């Protein structure tokens, strides 16, 4: 199932608009850690784009990264249930399991086995200076950081390379993380005189960073997020508690007024408008009018997604079947890739 294109092995990033225009030959690997319900930051940052790319004909693989929760500061207490909940959010948002491969780390042994040869291709020094690893270690709540945290970028490389993905959606802050995967692909090909792995390109999101209700980055761990599955009343309560300021005149100024601007940006995304235009419409209404406006915009936008989510939540067997069928497809790909790796290395 090798899918390569000229652009897939060319250095430099590519944009979502370019891929939408020329979707043929692309395979995208992305996913999430099952550490809690997805929120609006996930939706507008990545999930909506995944659904759009799937509609454009791009081959999509979504990994529910349950093994990565072993290394993460946010652990799921019931991993199997958390994985199903993640699938629930995917399907509610529009992911089509008949066209996308949705699977868990723990269900694909060959994927994880690729970590061993891949670890031999990077040095300890390269891993220790990876900025993403440094950040994860700095924010870890564990008393001691495990070795799995240290090898996190190599595990991610196994995620990406097992299916020979050509594109990986990332933010600019994640580019050094993806570079480990690109390095491993190049080094494997050079060491074993093969062209087995395409060098995946970063697919940079054109979606703006969505602030949370406190004006900072929307995050499950910060408690400032609006979950996709929240009720309309819960959404209203979260937005009423959002940080704003004393000025009654509403303006869009992300640097000087992060709280107000974050709310304006949220309403604008829900209505496909410019946040400055939303601010002008609210005018001198103050924080109360702003929050009422944003609440109505969010609830209106999420209403069909929440309706689908509520319906799907009644059929846990369906969620499990999505993961089972996805695992079957992912295992077929991973087993074939591992066999190719062994042959390239002269092993049986």
């Amino acid at each position: 199932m090798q899918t390569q294109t000229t652009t897939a092995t060319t250095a430099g990033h590519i944009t979502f608009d370019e891929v939408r225009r020329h979707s043929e030959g692309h395979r995208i690997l992305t996913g999430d850690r099952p550490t809690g319900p997805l929120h609006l930051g996930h939706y507008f940052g990545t999930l909506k784009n995944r659904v759009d790319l799937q509609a454009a004909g791009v081959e999509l693989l979504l990994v529910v990264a349950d093994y990565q929760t072993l290394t993460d500061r946010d652990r799921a207490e019931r991993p199997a249930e958390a994985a199903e909940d993640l699938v629930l959010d995917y399907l509610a948002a529009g992911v089509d399991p008949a066209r996308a491969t949705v699977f868990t780390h723990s269900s694909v042994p060959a994927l994880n086995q690729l970590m061993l040869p891949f670890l031999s291709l990077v040095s300890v020094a390269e891993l220790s200076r990876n900025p993403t690893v440094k950040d994860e270690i700095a924010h870890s709540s564990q008393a001691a950081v495990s070795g799995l945290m240290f090898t996190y970028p190599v595990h991610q490389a196994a995620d990406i390379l097992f299916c020979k993905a050509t594109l990986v959606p990332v933010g600019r802050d994640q580019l050094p993380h993806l570079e480990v995967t690109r390095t491993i692909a190049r080094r494997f090909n050079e060491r074993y005189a093969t062209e087995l792995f395409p060098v995946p390109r970063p697919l940079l999101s054109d979606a703006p960073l969505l602030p949370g209700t406190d004006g900072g980055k929307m995050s499950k761990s910060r408690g400032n997020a609006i979950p996709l599955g929240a009720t309309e009343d819960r959404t209203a309560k979260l937005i009423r508690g959002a940080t704003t300021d004393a000025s009654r005149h509403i303006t869009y100024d992300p640097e000087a007024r992060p709280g107000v601007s974050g709310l304006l940006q949220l309403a604008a995304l829900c209505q496909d408008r410019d946040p400055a235009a939303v601010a002008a419409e609210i005018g001198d209404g103050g924080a109360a009018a702003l929050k009422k406006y944003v609440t109505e915009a969010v609830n209106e936008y999420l209403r069909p997604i929440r309706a689908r989510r509520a319906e799907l939540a009644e059929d846990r067997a369906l969620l499990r079947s999505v993961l089972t069928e996805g695992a079957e497809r992912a295992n077929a790909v991973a087993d074939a890739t591992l066999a190719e790796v062994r042959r390239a290395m002269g092993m049986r």
Side-chain angles (χ1 to χ4, degrees), residues 221-243:
S221 60
R222 290 173 182 254
N224 65 355
I226 300 173
L228 294 182
T231 65
E232 294 196 4
D233 287 344
R234 175 63 177 161
T235 299
K237 183 177 180 180
L238 289 169
I239 293 174
R240 281 198 303 271
T243 302

PDB file of all heavy atoms in Angstrom, residues 221-243:
ATOM      1  N   SER A 221      -6.243  20.194  29.945  1.00  0.00           N
ATOM      2  CA  SER A 221      -5.564  20.230  31.236  1.00  0.00           C
ATOM      3  C   SER A 221      -5.688  21.590  31.930  1.00  0.00           C
ATOM      4  O   SER A 221      -5.553  21.685  33.145  1.00  0.00           O
ATOM      5  CB  SER A 221      -4.088  19.873  31.054  1.00  0.00           C
ATOM      6  OG  SER A 221      -3.450  20.792  30.186  1.00  0.00           O
ATOM      7  N   ARG A 222      -5.958  22.657  31.176  1.00  0.00           N
ATOM      8  CA  ARG A 222      -6.103  23.995  31.760  1.00  0.00           C
ATOM      9  C   ARG A 222      -7.507  24.258  32.284  1.00  0.00           C
ATOM     10  O   ARG A 222      -7.743  25.252  32.976  1.00  0.00           O
ATOM     11  CB  ARG A 222      -5.765  25.073  30.717  1.00  0.00           C
ATOM     12  CG  ARG A 222      -4.302  25.150  30.330  1.00  0.00           C
ATOM     13  CD  ARG A 222      -4.126  26.123  29.184  1.00  0.00           C
ATOM     14  NE  ARG A 222      -2.748  26.213  28.741  1.00  0.00           N
ATOM     15  CZ  ARG A 222      -1.952  27.234  28.981  1.00  0.00           C
ATOM     16  NH1 ARG A 222      -2.405  28.254  29.689  1.00  0.00           N
ATOM     17  NH2 ARG A 222      -0.710  27.240  28.535  1.00  0.00           N
ATOM     18  N   GLY A 223      -8.460  23.408  31.924  1.00  0.00           N
ATOM     19  CA  GLY A 223      -9.835  23.616  32.355  1.00  0.00           C
ATOM     20  C   GLY A 223     -10.497  24.819  31.717  1.00  0.00           C
ATOM     21  O   GLY A 223     -11.444  25.387  32.274  1.00  0.00           O
ATOM     22  N   ASN A 224     -10.019  25.233  30.541  1.00  0.00           N
ATOM     23  CA  ASN A 224     -10.556  26.429  29.887  1.00  0.00           C
ATOM     24  C   ASN A 224     -11.201  26.110  28.544  1.00  0.00           C
ATOM     25  O   ASN A 224     -11.355  26.988  27.696  1.00  0.00           O
ATOM     26  CB  ASN A 224      -9.439  27.457  29.686  1.00  0.00           C
ATOM     27  CG  ASN A 224      -8.361  26.964  28.731  1.00  0.00           C
ATOM     28  OD1 ASN A 224      -8.381  25.809  28.279  1.00  0.00           O
ATOM     29  ND2 ASN A 224      -7.411  27.832  28.418  1.00  0.00           N
ATOM     30  N   ALA A 225     -11.566  24.835  28.353  1.00  0.00           N
ATOM     31  CA  ALA A 225     -12.058  24.387  27.056  1.00  0.00           C
ATOM     32  C   ALA A 225     -13.574  24.198  27.066  1.00  0.00           C
ATOM     33  O   ALA A 225     -14.187  23.986  28.115  1.00  0.00           O
ATOM     34  CB  ALA A 225     -11.377  23.085  26.665  1.00  0.00           C
ATOM     35  N   ILE A 226     -14.152  24.243  25.870  1.00  0.00           N
ATOM     36  CA  ILE A 226     -15.572  23.971  25.688  1.00  0.00           C
ATOM     37  C   ILE A 226     -15.687  22.646  24.934  1.00  0.00           C
ATOM     38  O   ILE A 226     -15.408  22.583  23.735  1.00  0.00           O
ATOM     39  CB  ILE A 226     -16.262  25.094  24.892  1.00  0.00           C
ATOM     40  CG1 ILE A 226     -16.120  26.425  25.632  1.00  0.00           C
ATOM     41  CG2 ILE A 226     -17.735  24.763  24.662  1.00  0.00           C
ATOM     42  CD1 ILE A 226     -16.611  27.617  24.841  1.00  0.00           C
ATOM     43  N   PRO A 227     -16.035  21.557  25.614  1.00  0.00           N
ATOM     44  CA  PRO A 227     -16.110  20.245  24.957  1.00  0.00           C
ATOM     45  C   PRO A 227     -17.164  20.222  23.858  1.00  0.00           C
ATOM     46  O   PRO A 227     -18.204  20.892  23.959  1.00  0.00           O
ATOM     47  CB  PRO A 227     -16.489  19.294  26.104  1.00  0.00           C
ATOM     48  CG  PRO A 227     -16.097  20.010  27.354  1.00  0.00           C
ATOM     49  CD  PRO A 227     -16.310  21.468  27.060  1.00  0.00           C
ATOM     50  N   LEU A 228     -16.907  19.427  22.827  1.00  0.00           N
ATOM     51  CA  LEU A 228     -17.887  19.297  21.747  1.00  0.00           C
ATOM     52  C   LEU A 228     -19.207  18.747  22.273  1.00  0.00           C
ATOM     53  O   LEU A 228     -20.275  19.099  21.783  1.00  0.00           O
ATOM     54  CB  LEU A 228     -17.344  18.367  20.652  1.00  0.00           C
ATOM     55  CG  LEU A 228     -16.127  18.833  19.866  1.00  0.00           C
ATOM     56  CD1 LEU A 228     -15.765  17.814  18.800  1.00  0.00           C
ATOM     57  CD2 LEU A 228     -16.375  20.193  19.232  1.00  0.00           C
ATOM     58  N   GLY A 229     -19.118  17.862  23.269  1.00  0.00           N
ATOM     59  CA  GLY A 229     -20.326  17.227  23.773  1.00  0.00           C
ATOM     60  C   GLY A 229     -20.995  17.950  24.924  1.00  0.00           C
ATOM     61  O   GLY A 229     -21.967  17.436  25.498  1.00  0.00           O
ATOM     62  N   ALA A 230     -20.522  19.146  25.287  1.00  0.00           N
ATOM     63  CA  ALA A 230     -21.150  19.883  26.387  1.00  0.00           C
ATOM     64  C   ALA A 230     -22.581  20.263  26.017  1.00  0.00           C
ATOM     65  O   ALA A 230     -22.891  20.523  24.862  1.00  0.00           O
ATOM     66  CB  ALA A 230     -20.347  21.146  26.702  1.00  0.00           C
ATOM     67  N   THR A 231     -23.453  20.310  27.008  1.00  0.00           N
ATOM     68  CA  THR A 231     -24.825  20.749  26.753  1.00  0.00           C
ATOM     69  C   THR A 231     -24.846  22.252  26.472  1.00  0.00           C
ATOM     70  O   THR A 231     -23.866  22.967  26.739  1.00  0.00           O
ATOM     71  CB  THR A 231     -25.729  20.479  27.969  1.00  0.00           C
ATOM     72  OG1 THR A 231     -25.269  21.285  29.074  1.00  0.00           O
ATOM     73  CG2 THR A 231     -25.693  19.007  28.347  1.00  0.00           C
ATOM     74  N   GLU A 232     -25.964  22.731  25.956  1.00  0.00           N
ATOM     75  CA  GLU A 232     -26.073  24.163  25.678  1.00  0.00           C
ATOM     76  C   GLU A 232     -25.989  24.969  26.971  1.00  0.00           C
ATOM     77  O   GLU A 232     -25.373  26.039  26.999  1.00  0.00           O
ATOM     78  CB  GLU A 232     -27.368  24.451  24.930  1.00  0.00           C
ATOM     79  CG  GLU A 232     -27.387  23.840  23.533  1.00  0.00           C
ATOM     80  CD  GLU A 232     -28.465  24.423  22.639  1.00  0.00           C
ATOM     81  OE1 GLU A 232     -29.165  25.372  23.070  1.00  0.00           O
ATOM     82  OE2 GLU A 232     -28.600  23.946  21.492  1.00  0.00           O
ATOM     83  N   ASP A 233     -26.583  24.461  28.035  1.00  0.00           N
ATOM     84  CA  ASP A 233     -26.515  25.169  29.317  1.00  0.00           C
ATOM     85  C   ASP A 233     -25.089  25.192  29.856  1.00  0.00           C
ATOM     86  O   ASP A 233     -24.636  26.215  30.387  1.00  0.00           O
ATOM     87  CB  ASP A 233     -27.440  24.510  30.341  1.00  0.00           C
ATOM     88  CG  ASP A 233     -28.915  24.785  30.058  1.00  0.00           C
ATOM     89  OD1 ASP A 233     -29.193  25.713  29.270  1.00  0.00           O
ATOM     90  OD2 ASP A 233     -29.764  24.072  30.629  1.00  0.00           O
ATOM     91  N   ARG A 234     -24.395  24.054  29.732  1.00  0.00           N
ATOM     92  CA  ARG A 234     -22.999  23.993  30.189  1.00  0.00           C
ATOM     93  C   ARG A 234     -22.128  24.936  29.370  1.00  0.00           C
ATOM     94  O   ARG A 234     -21.256  25.636  29.904  1.00  0.00           O
ATOM     95  CB  ARG A 234     -22.488  22.556  30.074  1.00  0.00           C
ATOM     96  CG  ARG A 234     -21.010  22.355  30.389  1.00  0.00           C
ATOM     97  CD  ARG A 234     -20.683  22.709  31.816  1.00  0.00           C
ATOM     98  NE  ARG A 234     -19.281  22.452  32.120  1.00  0.00           N
ATOM     99  CZ  ARG A 234     -18.623  22.979  33.148  1.00  0.00           C
ATOM    100  NH1 ARG A 234     -19.265  23.795  33.986  1.00  0.00           N
ATOM    101  NH2 ARG A 234     -17.360  22.698  33.359  1.00  0.00           N
ATOM    102  N   THR A 235     -22.382  25.000  28.080  1.00  0.00           N
ATOM    103  CA  THR A 235     -21.637  25.917  27.215  1.00  0.00           C
ATOM    104  C   THR A 235     -21.862  27.362  27.644  1.00  0.00           C
ATOM    105  O   THR A 235     -20.913  28.154  27.734  1.00  0.00           O
ATOM    106  CB  THR A 235     -22.071  25.733  25.750  1.00  0.00           C
ATOM    107  OG1 THR A 235     -21.776  24.390  25.345  1.00  0.00           O
ATOM    108  CG2 THR A 235     -21.344  26.704  24.829  1.00  0.00           C
ATOM    109  N   ALA A 236     -23.108  27.702  27.916  1.00  0.00           N
ATOM    110  CA  ALA A 236     -23.427  29.061  28.354  1.00  0.00           C
ATOM    111  C   ALA A 236     -22.712  29.393  29.657  1.00  0.00           C
ATOM    112  O   ALA A 236     -22.178  30.505  29.827  1.00  0.00           O
ATOM    113  CB  ALA A 236     -24.933  29.221  28.523  1.00  0.00           C
ATOM    114  N   LYS A 237     -22.667  28.459  30.574  1.00  0.00           N
ATOM    115  CA  LYS A 237     -22.001  28.689  31.858  1.00  0.00           C
ATOM    116  C   LYS A 237     -20.497  28.893  31.674  1.00  0.00           C
ATOM    117  O   LYS A 237     -19.895  29.783  32.288  1.00  0.00           O
ATOM    118  CB  LYS A 237     -22.249  27.502  32.795  1.00  0.00           C
ATOM    119  CG  LYS A 237     -21.651  27.678  34.180  1.00  0.00           C
ATOM    120  CD  LYS A 237     -21.998  26.502  35.083  1.00  0.00           C
ATOM    121  CE  LYS A 237     -21.398  26.699  36.475  1.00  0.00           C
ATOM    122  NZ  LYS A 237     -21.725  25.559  37.383  1.00  0.00           N
ATOM    123  N   LEU A 238     -19.883  28.076  30.804  1.00  0.00           N
ATOM    124  CA  LEU A 238     -18.443  28.214  30.551  1.00  0.00           C
ATOM    125  C   LEU A 238     -18.121  29.573  29.935  1.00  0.00           C
ATOM    126  O   LEU A 238     -17.130  30.213  30.293  1.00  0.00           O
ATOM    127  CB  LEU A 238     -17.970  27.086  29.635  1.00  0.00           C
ATOM    128  CG  LEU A 238     -17.929  25.683  30.249  1.00  0.00           C
ATOM    129  CD1 LEU A 238     -17.714  24.634  29.165  1.00  0.00           C
ATOM    130  CD2 LEU A 238     -16.809  25.600  31.294  1.00  0.00           C
ATOM    131  N   ILE A 239     -18.952  30.005  29.005  1.00  0.00           N
ATOM    132  CA  ILE A 239     -18.695  31.287  28.338  1.00  0.00           C
ATOM    133  C   ILE A 239     -18.966  32.455  29.287  1.00  0.00           C
ATOM    134  O   ILE A 239     -18.243  33.460  29.266  1.00  0.00           O
ATOM    135  CB  ILE A 239     -19.534  31.389  27.044  1.00  0.00           C
ATOM    136  CG1 ILE A 239     -19.037  30.354  26.028  1.00  0.00           C
ATOM    137  CG2 ILE A 239     -19.444  32.795  26.453  1.00  0.00           C
ATOM    138  CD1 ILE A 239     -19.858  30.252  24.766  1.00  0.00           C
ATOM    139  N   ARG A 240     -19.986  32.328  30.142  1.00  0.00           N
ATOM    140  CA  ARG A 240     -20.241  33.393  31.130  1.00  0.00           C
ATOM    141  C   ARG A 240     -19.038  33.577  32.056  1.00  0.00           C
ATOM    142  O   ARG A 240     -18.771  34.687  32.526  1.00  0.00           O
ATOM    143  CB  ARG A 240     -21.483  33.064  31.968  1.00  0.00           C
ATOM    144  CG  ARG A 240     -22.789  33.354  31.289  1.00  0.00           C
ATOM    145  CD  ARG A 240     -23.928  33.437  32.292  1.00  0.00           C
ATOM    146  NE  ARG A 240     -24.059  32.206  33.080  1.00  0.00           N
ATOM    147  CZ  ARG A 240     -24.803  31.163  32.732  1.00  0.00           C
ATOM    148  NH1 ARG A 240     -25.465  31.180  31.578  1.00  0.00           N
ATOM    149  NH2 ARG A 240     -24.879  30.109  33.515  1.00  0.00           N
ATOM    150  N   GLY A 241     -18.313  32.522  32.322  1.00  0.00           N
ATOM    151  CA  GLY A 241     -17.154  32.612  33.205  1.00  0.00           C
ATOM    152  C   GLY A 241     -15.868  32.997  32.498  1.00  0.00           C
ATOM    153  O   GLY A 241     -14.804  33.041  33.125  1.00  0.00           O
ATOM    154  N   ALA A 242     -15.947  33.296  31.200  1.00  0.00           N
ATOM    155  CA  ALA A 242     -14.748  33.630  30.440  1.00  0.00           C
ATOM    156  C   ALA A 242     -14.161  34.970  30.879  1.00  0.00           C
ATOM    157  O   ALA A 242     -14.876  35.892  31.289  1.00  0.00           O
ATOM    158  CB  ALA A 242     -15.079  33.684  28.941  1.00  0.00           C
ATOM    159  N   THR A 243     -12.849  35.081  30.771  1.00  0.00           N
ATOM    160  CA  THR A 243     -12.130  36.305  31.123  1.00  0.00           C
ATOM    161  C   THR A 243     -12.347  37.378  30.055  1.00  0.00           C
ATOM    162  O   THR A 243     -12.170  37.128  28.859  1.00  0.00           O
ATOM    163  CB  THR A 243     -10.622  36.021  31.243  1.00  0.00           C
ATOM    164  OG1 THR A 243     -10.431  35.018  32.236  1.00  0.00           O
ATOM    165  CG2 THR A 243      -9.860  37.276  31.621  1.00  0.00           C
TER     166      THR A 243
END
